[in-house]
Amino acid sequence: MERITLEQAIEVLVQQTKKQTKTKTVSVFEALNQVLAHDVYAPINVPSFNRSAMDGYAVKASETAGASHETPIKLQVIKQLMAGDYAQLKAESNQAVLVMTGSYIPDGFDAVIRQEDTNYGDEVVELYASVKPFMNYSAIGEDIKQGQLMLQAGTVLTPIHLGILASLGMEKVEVLAPIKVGLISSGSELAEAPEALKPGQIYDSNRFVLTSRLKQLNVEVVFSKKISDDPTAVACFIKEQMKNVDLVITTGGVSVGKKDIMHEVISQLEANRLFWRINMRPGTPVLASLYQDKLMLGLSGNPFAALTTFELLFRPILSQAMHTNTYTCVRKQARFKGTFNKGSKQRRFIRAYYEDGVVSIPTGEHASSVLSSMLGCNCFIDIEAGNAGLAENETVEVVLL
Ligand SMILES: Nc1nc2c(c(=O)[nH]1)N[C@H]1C(S)=C(S)[C@@H](COP(=O)(O)OP(=O)(O)OC[C@H]3O[C@@H](n4cnc5c(N)ncnc54)[C@H](O)[C@@H]3O)O[C@H]1N2
Ligand code: MOO
């Protein structure tokens, strides 16, 4: 089978991804990182009344003209309104209302003079400065106007979004149900703590990286299982579990070795192979298939390869499923700092750190089998096929994580 490009692979995967149709209603408190199912229009004005932005006195601006320490103006204080108080008043001439920051400003008053510019009077207040109309006055709807489109369907909810929903008095919100993913790391060499390592074994790290990454992306991880290199065991497990998930991700067993069992798994399941091998390093031998009309994404077992192909392939799938492009990797041009001498016949992604238009690479190993030098990295540099290496100050393209 011909190797395909990364873009072709993404296109095939996205085409086979069904959009999530299930929604659920959650409390705004629980909605962090979930995808909004519908547009939200503001049901109320925020604030829903004219309010004071200062501790002071609500006045009519025109009645403060010319006030100074030499020529104070006296107003009658007809009411004291703390934040949360309300009173229906009829403003008459030369009157003021003592207000606090956040207090309701009764109709007829159009500005607030801060208390520092007064004698703090209780019944009569002396003003030592004038104010312009709407000074220190936060008008109804200043923050949000009733009827305004506030949040669009497909928004991945952040703390600010939740604050906005809360300020609109919304207790619950309808979100897309997270998609369900099952994860399998395959390999007879894989151990898991507290098991002691036998000679020839390594601890399974892929499952921990990918499961936690899926959770960060608000995906429901239905199972996360380590299985030995036994194609029948893996096929049986997938057969049994496929009904519970929207997609299965596996790591390991996709290359050409005797124990690269995922080819046999696909054949036992009679799944439909979509592609095998992408023209890129790391992670070349990605094996994608369709089983029971659902995607199975077989990633390489090498930890850096598994992580890279997960980010590059799964995020477009998730964006498609969740009706949003928020998960899609952001690309930027950057100035390369350092040197990278490894030439590359194939397109290559290397781990790096991007900040303020400059990208640098870690000093550790760049091998596909090495996870630790990913520490502190926040992007990949996308290096085109045939590149001889990277030179200082060269402009490169980075994919942000
Ligand atoms: N003769 C050839 N050999 C290999 C080729 C090739 O074209 N011809 N391709 C190489 C490339 S490139 C890659 S990438 C790997 C892909 O191997 P697999 O995806 O089949 O993965 P495994 O062989 O199962 O494992 C590779 C490596 O990663 C370790 N591993 C596996 N699972 C985990 C895990 N969950 N946590 C941590 N480490 C894991 C495993 O022990 C191996 O060391 O094939 C090359 N070979
Ligand atoms: O494709 Mo592999 O480059 O070693 O991860």
Side-chain angles (χ1 to χ4, degrees):
M1 201 179 208
E2 272 298 294
R3 290 171 185 213
I4 62 172
T5 65
L6 175 63
E7 286 68 26
Q8 286 167 330
I10 291 171
E11 197 183 323
V12 170
L13 295 171
V14 165
Q15 247 172 29
Q16 296 297 343
T17 301
K18 287 176 201 65
K19 287 189 184 282
Q20 176 63 291
T21 52
K22 293 181 201 125
T23 64
K24 60 176 187 172
T25 301
V26 295
S27 80
V28 168
F29 250 121
E30 290 164 5
L32 186 66
N33 290 332
Q34 314 246 22
V35 179
L36 195 61
H38 304 293
D39 292 345
V40 171
Y41 290 87
I44 57 168
N45 282 306
V46 180
S48 54
F49 55 90
N50 298 320
R51 70 179 171 190
S52 173
M54 287 281 181
D55 299 322
Y57 297 83
V59 294
K60 285 176 229 100
S62 58
E63 291 179 354
T64 69
S68 70
H69 277 281
E70 293 69 39
T71 56
I73 286 176
K74 289 186 184 175
L75 299 176
Q76 188 200 351
V77 180
I78 55 166
K79 187 86 187 163
Q80 298 197 352
L81 292 176
M82 305 296 124
D85 289 351
Y86 175 78
Q88 243 183 335
L89 296 174
K90 199 169 171 304
E92 286 169 14
S93 51
N94 298 320
Q95 290 184 335
V97 173
L98 186 147
V99 288
M100 297 292 118
T101 306
S103 292
Y104 167 73
I105 298 179
D107 290 349
F109 298 95
D110 65 358
V112 170
I113 183 164
R114 54 182 199 143
Q115 61 187 28
E116 293 88 328
D117 293 329
T118 73
N119 70 341
Y120 298 78
D122 280 339
E123 284 164 16
V124 173
V125 61
E126 283 189 12
L127 313 186
Y128 304 129
S130 61
V131 285
K132 298 226 153 52
F134 305 108
M135 214 161 138
N136 304 324
Y137 181 104
S138 143
I140 181 169
E142 176 198 51
D143 188 348
I144 298 172
K145 301 229 167 0
Q146 188 172 14
Q148 182 183 347
L149 173 62
M150 278 315 295
L151 305 179
Q152 284 185 301
T155 301
V156 178
L157 296 169
T158 65
I160 303 300
H161 296 127
L162 302 192
I164 288 171
L165 292 169
S167 67
L168 291 172
M170 298 178 68
E171 185 196 0
K172 296 190 165 152
V173 64
E174 196 171 356
V175 294
L176 291 178
I179 61 164
K180 296 179 179 178
V181 171
L183 200 70
I184 297 172
S185 55
S186 75
S188 299
E189 75 280 28
L190 301 177
E192 185 173 332
E195 238 180 290
L197 283 182
K198 296 194 188 84
Q201 282 192 321
I202 54 160
Y203 285 118
D204 176 0
S205 61
N206 287 344
R207 224 157 42 82
F208 291 81
V209 174
L210 299 189
T211 305
S212 50
R213 195 62 192 111
L214 285 165
K215 286 183 181 166
Q216 262 184 346
L217 293 167
N218 194 43
V219 168
E220 185 178 337
V221 181
V222 175
F223 57 83
S224 174
K225 195 173 166 63
K226 172 169 75 67
I227 309 185
S228 65
D229 286 324
D230 174 350
T232 308
V234 175
C236 285
F237 184 77
I238 292 176
K239 201 171 200 166
E240 200 183 284
Q241 291 291 330
M242 205 70 190
K243 60 179 180 303
N244 302 323
V245 296
D246 299 303
L247 175 134
V248 166
I249 298 174
T250 63
T251 71
V254 287
S255 188
V256 292
K258 286 191 196 327
K259 290 290 178 183
D260 285 335
I261 60 160
M262 289 311 297
H263 307 282
E264 173 61 17
V265 169
I266 285 181
S267 138
Q268 285 192 20
L269 290 171
E270 293 179 24
N272 173 19
R273 187 166 83 171
L274 296 170
F275 61 82
W276 176 42
R277 292 195 284 210
I278 302 179
N279 229 331
M280 63 176 268
R281 299 288 303 269
T284 312
V286 175
L287 173 60
S289 55
L290 212 54
Y291 175 58
Q292 294 181 1
D293 225 16
K294 294 173 183 172
L295 279 173
M296 293 209 301
L297 191 58
L299 307 178
S300 159
N302 272 321
F304 180 61
L307 167 68
T308 309
T309 44
F310 172 85
E311 295 293 338
L312 296 174
L313 299 174
F314 180 72
R315 283 165 60 162
I317 294 176
L318 187 60
S319 284
Q320 172 73 2
M322 300 305 271
H323 315 232
T324 175
N325 56 15
T326 313
Y327 301 113
T328 311
C329 298
V330 172
R331 286 174 174 267
K332 282 198 184 294
Q333 299 283 308
R335 193 161 52 79
F336 180 67
K337 205 169 128 233
T339 46
F340 183 70
N341 293 324
K342 214 163 160 181
S344 187
K345 269 196 248 154
Q346 272 181 288
R347 180 175 181 180
R348 184 189 288 279
F349 289 85
I350 58 169
R351 61 200 98 190
Y353 176 73
Y354 171 87
E355 193 180 342
D356 292 339
V358 176
V359 66
S360 53
I361 51 174
T363 49
E365 267 297 325
H366 277 275
S368 163
S369 50
V370 169
L371 178 62
S372 60
S373 50
M374 190 66 205
L375 272 176
C377 291
N378 62 3
C379 71
F380 303 128
I381 305 178
D382 185 353
I383 306 176
E384 79 275 9
N387 187 294
L390 298 177
E392 178 90 25
N393 288 329
E394 188 175 325
T395 300
V396 292
E397 185 160 300
V398 300
V399 181
L400 300 182
L401 295 178

